[in-house]
Amino acid sequence: MEPKQTQIKKLVLTALFVAIATYGGSLFSFPIGIAKCAPVQSLVNVLSGIILGPWWALGQALATSILRNLLGTGTVFAFPGSMIGAFLAGWLYHKFKKPVLAVLGEVVGTGLVGAP
C-alpha cells in the first residue's frame, strides 16, 4: 500500500488532469460519425497512465467523461474509449517502461477496442 502522502499527491494530480482534459475537450474536439474525438483528452490519458499508473488513469478518464457529458461536450462513447485507452496506456507503460507503448495503448484502446 502506498503512503498516504503519495496517494494525496496522486489524487491532486488526477484532479488537475481531469480539469485539463475537460477544458481541452470542450475547446477542441471534432465529430467522427456519432462520436466526438477529443485529442487533448487522449494526450492527458497517456500522461496520466505514465505518471500515475493504469488505475488512476482509468479513474481520471471516467471523471473526465462524466464531466464532459454533463457539460454537453462529450458523448456516451467517451466512456468506453477513454477508459480502456487510459488503462491500456498506463498498463503498457508500467509493464515495459516505453512511452511509445503507452501511446499505442491509448490509440488501440480508444480507437479499436472502445470505438462505437
Side-chain angles (χ1 to χ4, degrees), residues 21-110:
T22 302
Y23 185 67
S26 67
L27 284 181
F28 180 66
S29 66
F30 53 91
I32 292 188
I34 53 177
K36 286 185 185 176
C37 294
V40 174
Q41 184 172 357
S42 293
L43 174 65
V44 170
N45 288 348
V46 170
L47 290 175
S48 68
I50 289 172
I51 295 169
L52 300 169
W55 294 107
W56 286 94
L58 187 139
Q60 173 274 132
L62 173 64
T64 300
S65 296
I66 290 170
L67 278 174
R68 287 187 60 222
N69 274 276
L70 288 174
L71 294 171
T73 61
T75 66
V76 293
F77 299 111
F79 290 98
S82 67
M83 291 170 60
I84 294 169
F87 181 82
L88 276 179
W91 184 78
L92 286 171
Y93 178 78
H94 285 275
K95 184 159 179 70
F96 299 105
K97 302 294 184 204
K98 295 187 186 278
V100 70
L101 290 179
V103 173
L104 183 64
E106 164 55 29
V107 170
V108 168
T110 301

